[in-house]
Amino acid sequence: MAATRTPESAVTSAAPLSGRQFVLENAGARAEVGSLAAVLRSLTVDGIHLTEPIGDDVIAPMGCGIVLAPWPNRVRDALWYLEGEPQQLDITEPPRRNAIHGLLRNTAYRVLAQDASSVTLGALIAPQHGWPFLLDTSVRYQVEPDGLTVTHGVQNLSSHRAAWAVGAHPYFRVGDVPVERLTVTLTAEVRIQLDERSNPATQHPVDDPDAGGPGDLRAGLPLAGLTLDSPYGRLANRDGRADVAWLTAPDGGTTTLWADPAFGWIQAYTPQEFPRPTGPGPAVALEPMTAPPDALNSGTGLIWLEPGEGWSASWGVRYERTTN
Amino acid sequence: MGRALRKDDELTDILPTGRGVVLERGGVRAEIGSVAAVLRSLTVNGADLTLPIPADRAPAMCNGIILSPWPNRVRAGRWVLDGEPQQLDITEPERGGALHGLLQFAEYDVTEQSTDAVTLTSTIYPQHGWPFLVETRVRYGLEPDGLTVTHGARNLSTVRAPYATGSHPYLKVGDAPIADLELTVPASTYFAVDERLDPTGEVEVAGTPYDVRTPQRVGGLAFDTAFGGVQHAEIADGRGDVAWLTAPDGSRTTLWQSTEWGYVQVFTTHLMPSADGPIDAIAIEPMTAPPDALNSGQGLIWIEPGASWEGSWGLRYAGGA
C-alpha cells in the first residue's frame, strides 16, 4: 500500500481496476484491453512493446491508453456555448479549472462484439451538465500481425444535431529501448502554443523561429532532453490514411502511428516522471485526435452529427524492423 | 472512415434516460431507465406517486436519479482520507462543490429482472478524489401499494471504503396540485446551510420554519433542507415512515426508510421544467447521510474490504376517503 493516496496508486483490489479484461491475438501480435475507458493496456509484436504497458491493477497513469470522448484534451473553464447558450461542463481538472478528456474516463464500456483478434466496446453518453446530447459510442480494437487498428464510432441518438470529437492517449515505445534513446518524427506543419493553464493560445508554423519551443519535428529529433506538450496539426494524412508520426530506435526498429484524415491532430506529451514498476522515467504520448484542444469553443475540427447520423474513423500503430 | 444515417426503423429505443424497464404488479406500474438507475415513473391505479420524466427528456433537477457513493454536496469537492487531501471533480461549478455522487450519468447494467422487480448494478472505479472500487446495485421491487427500493454496495478494494447513498424522487399525490398538498416530516433536526448550501450545523427544528412535524401546506414552503433525527415513527420490520404528502381529498403518498437511512432532504421549487412551462415540484430525498458527510463523517458507512452493505426505502400510496 503506497503511503501517498492518489487515484493512480491508492487502491489495490480483488478485481481489476481497469475493469473487464480482454486479450487479443493475431499471429505474433498481442493486445490487452480493459473495459474502463476502453483502455489499451499493452500492445506487443513478437514480444516487442509498442506502447507503455500498464498492469490491470492500476488506474491508467497519466491517461495511459484511455479513450477520450466526446472530446480529447481540455475545454477552457469547462465552459462552451451552443447556439448562444452557455454550457457548463463539470470541472474535471480542478487545479486548472478546465474539463479534460471527455466524459468516459471513469466508465466501464460494455462488450458489443468479440473474437480472437478483436473486441468492440460500447458506451452510452447521456445528456448531462454542459453536454445536451445523447450519443452511442464505440471503440474497436483489431490486432494485426504487425500492430493494431483502432476504430472509433458514434451515432447521434439525440433529436438535434450533436457535437463530437474523439481521441486516444497511447504512450509509445520501441520495445525495451529507453525512451531517451529514441528519435521522434512528427509530420505536422503547425503547432499550437499553450497558455499557463494548458489551453490553446496561438498557432504557428512549426518552423516559425519566434514561436519558441520544439516545433519542427518533420526531420526527426532525439527525445533525450526534449520536452513536448503541444498539439500539432496539418499532418501527412490530409489526403488519405497515412503515417503521421513515428519513433525510431538506434537499431532501426520503428513504431509508427498512422491515421485516417479525420484524425488531423496529435497531442505530443513527454512527461519525465511516468510511473513504471522500475521507477519513474521519461515517456512519450502521441495522442491522435480529431480536433485540437478547446475545440468546443474554437469549432476547429469539431464534427457535427445530424440526428441519427453515424460516424467512424480509424488510427493504428505498426512495428517495423528496418535496416539503416 | 465514413458517415451514415440510419433509417428510422433501425433507430434504437435508447432514450436520454437510457434503456427502459417496465415493471407491473396489479395496479402498480413503474418505469426505470438505465442511466443513473432512474425512476422514470411510478403509478398506483393510474395515480402518480412521482413526477414522471417525459420520454424525450433527461431528468430535470435530478428527478428520480440514484445518488451514490454520496448524496448531496461535498464542500469544495474536497475531503481528507487518513490525512491525505482528496479532490473530487467539481460537478456543481456555480457553487464549487461535488454534488450527488459519481453515477449521475452512468449507465447501469440490468443484472436481474422479472415482471415486478429489476436489479441494476454499476461499479464505481477509483478516480479523482475517490480511491475505492465499489460495486453498487439498486433493486426496484413493486409492492401491492407502491415500491421498495433496495440499495446495495460491496467494497472490492483492499482498504475500507466510505459509503453513503440516496435517491432524488419528486413526489406527487395523483393529480392534486403540489401547492395544495400538506407535508409532514417527523424529524427533530435540520441542517443549517451557508450561501453555497453547505451545512453549518445541525439544529433542533422546534420554533423554526423547519418544524414540519405537524402538517404544513407545500405552497407556503421554500425548502432545500436536510432533516435529521428522522423519527422512523412506528418502526416495524426495521422500517418506518419519514415523510408524507396528503392531498385535500385525504389521499396520501408516503416515504418510508429502513433504519439505515437516518436523513431526508426536502427541496421545493416553482421552476421544474415541463411541456407547459415551469411547474411546482417537491423532492423528498431519502439519504443515509447528511450533506458533506465525507467531511463530517456523520452517517457515513465504512465498508470493510470484501464486505457489503444494504438498506431500503420505499413509497406507498393510499387513496382518499
Side-chain angles (χ1 to χ4, degrees):
Chain A
M1 194 68 224
T4 303
R5 289 180 184 274
T6 71
E8 290 157 14
S9 67
V11 181
T12 56
S13 81
L17 291 186
S18 50
R20 190 171 159 188
Q21 300 298 309
F22 306 92
V23 176
L24 316 174
E25 290 179 310
N26 186 349
R30 185 178 199 272
E32 294 178 30
V33 169
S35 65
L36 186 65
V39 62
L40 176 64
R41 288 184 34 246
S42 166
L43 175 64
T44 58
V45 172
D46 298 330
I48 295 165
H49 285 287
L50 275 54
T51 60
E52 290 286 350
I54 55 171
D56 66 7
D57 58 341
V58 298
I59 293 301
M62 298 182 172
C64 185
I66 68 171
V67 170
L68 319 173
W71 71 85
N73 210 275
R74 293 174 176 82
V75 179
R76 189 190 307 268
D77 301 325
L79 180 65
W80 67 291
Y81 293 84
L82 176 66
E83 291 160 13
E85 290 292 320
Q87 302 290 332
Q88 178 68 63
L89 296 157
D90 289 345
I91 296 169
T92 57
E93 190 185 37
R96 290 173 171 151
R97 305 282 303 164
N98 297 315
I100 189 165
H101 289 335
L103 300 170
L104 296 178
R105 218 176 157 160
N106 304 308
T107 296
Y109 282 58
R110 57 188 74 219
V111 182
L112 302 180
Q114 189 179 1
D115 62 23
S117 66
S118 78
V119 64
T120 306
L121 302 171
L124 189 69
I125 300 174
Q128 56 194 275
H129 302 156
W131 188 260
F133 311 116
L134 177 63
L135 300 179
D136 200 9
T137 76
S138 67
V139 185
R140 181 170 189 265
Y141 289 105
Q142 168 71 58
V143 174
E144 316 284 358
D146 62 352
L148 179 72
T149 297
V150 186
T151 303
H152 298 260
V154 62
Q155 189 187 12
N156 179 13
L157 302 182
S158 321
S159 53
H160 40 271
R161 71 176 196 148
W164 169 248
V166 66
H169 208 304
Y171 289 79
F172 290 111
R173 295 280 299 264
V174 186
D176 294 334
V177 178
V179 167
E180 55 270 36
R181 296 189 59 209
L182 301 175
T183 295
V184 60
T185 304
L186 207 58
T187 60
E189 295 177 9
V190 298
R191 183 175 76 100
I192 295 176
Q193 292 261 57
L194 302 180
D195 65 18
E196 70 289 351
R197 289 168 62 204
S198 296
N199 290 312
T202 52
Q203 180 170 315
H204 305 270
V206 290
D207 53 3
D208 180 348
D210 300 325
D216 196 346
L217 303 170
R218 288 175 294 183
L221 279 178
L223 272 167
L226 197 60
T227 299
L228 305 176
D229 188 6
S230 304
Y232 289 80
R234 289 189 65 80
L235 308 171
N237 60 350
R238 292 199 295 284
D239 298 325
R241 182 178 291 190
D243 297 346
V244 291
W246 50 93
L247 298 177
T248 308
D251 69 357
T254 302
T255 297
T256 300
L257 171 65
W258 59 263
D260 281 341
F263 288 91
W265 296 85
I266 289 175
Q267 181 86 10
Y269 176 49
T270 56
Q272 300 303 305
E273 301 281 309
F274 185 88
R276 294 189 186 90
T278 52
V284 54
L286 299 171
E287 311 164 36
M289 311 187 294
T290 61
D294 206 28
L296 284 172
N297 282 306
S298 69
T300 307
L302 208 56
I303 294 157
W304 287 96
L305 299 166
E306 295 300 319
E309 189 178 5
W311 173 96
S312 72
S314 301
W315 60 273
V317 54
R318 184 177 78 238
Y319 176 74
E320 288 163 310
R321 196 186 303 271
T322 55
T323 51
N324 56 353
Chain B
M1 61 180 287
R3 287 167 172 250
L5 264 177
R6 282 202 201 173
K7 297 190 180 82
D8 280 350
D9 59 359
E10 290 176 332
L11 285 174
T12 65
D13 56 356
I14 301 173
L15 300 176
T17 46
R19 294 162 171 89
V21 174
V22 175
L23 307 178
E24 287 179 307
R25 174 176 176 172
V28 184
R29 185 181 190 279
E31 201 170 322
I32 315 297
S34 59
V35 173
V38 66
L39 180 62
R40 287 178 179 166
S41 66
L42 174 65
T43 57
V44 173
N45 298 325
D48 283 319
L49 276 64
T50 63
L51 178 65
I53 301 170
D56 61 342
R57 299 287 161 177
M61 296 182 166
C62 300
N63 189 2
I65 69 170
I66 298 297
L67 317 174
S68 171
W70 70 84
N72 210 274
R73 293 175 176 81
V74 179
R75 191 188 308 267
R78 283 198 288 268
W79 65 292
V80 177
L81 175 67
D82 298 340
E84 291 292 328
Q86 303 288 333
Q87 177 66 62
L88 296 156
D89 288 345
I90 302 301
T91 58
E92 191 184 38
E94 65 275 25
R95 294 191 174 110
L99 183 64
H100 289 336
L102 300 170
L103 297 178
Q104 210 176 145
F105 308 110
E107 191 181 18
Y108 284 58
D109 292 315
V110 173
T111 48
E112 231 181 277
Q113 192 177 349
S114 65
T115 55
D116 63 359
V118 63
T119 301
L120 304 102
T121 67
S122 185
T123 297
I124 303 171
Y125 288 87
Q127 55 195 275
H128 300 157
W130 183 260
F132 310 104
L133 183 69
V134 180
E135 182 186 80
T136 74
R137 68 177 194 281
V138 181
R139 181 183 187 273
Y140 289 99
L142 298 190
E143 309 290 347
D145 57 357
L147 176 70
T148 294
V149 187
T150 303
H151 296 224
R154 188 161 65 106
N155 180 10
L156 302 180
S157 320
T158 54
V159 295
R160 67 178 195 151
Y163 192 71
T165 188
S167 185
H168 208 300
Y170 287 80
L171 301 192
K172 293 188 69 175
V173 186
D175 291 334
I178 296 295
D180 294 342
L181 300 176
E182 288 198 319
L183 171 69
T184 309
V185 183
S188 59
T189 65
Y190 77 99
F191 288 81
V193 293
D194 61 19
E195 71 288 352
R196 290 163 69 182
L197 298 181
D198 291 318
T200 55
E202 187 174 4
V203 181
E204 296 289 325
V205 296
T208 77
Y210 302 99
D211 190 346
V212 270
R213 293 175 293 185
T214 54
Q216 304 287 325
R217 192 173 169 272
V218 172
L221 303 176
F223 281 178
D224 191 352
T225 305
F227 292 90
V230 174
Q231 297 294 319
H232 289 295
E234 299 172 36
I235 286 179
D237 298 330
R239 59 180 59 170
D241 297 345
V242 299
W244 51 93
L245 291 170
T246 309
D249 71 354
S251 55
R252 176 178 290 183
T253 296
T254 300
L255 169 68
W256 60 262
Q257 297 178 182
S258 66
T259 50
E260 294 89 353
W261 301 64
Y263 305 86
V264 66
Q265 179 93 9
V266 180
F267 170 59
T268 58
T269 179
H270 304 300
L271 300 175
M272 173 62 72
S274 82
D276 305 321
I279 57 172
D280 291 342
I282 178 167
I284 303 183
E285 311 162 35
M287 305 190 298
T288 62
D292 205 27
L294 283 173
N295 283 303
S296 70
Q298 191 172 354
L300 208 57
I301 301 153
W302 286 93
I303 308 177
E304 296 298 320
S308 297
W309 173 89
E310 181 176 288
S312 299
W313 60 277
L315 297 171
R316 184 171 83 234
Y317 177 76

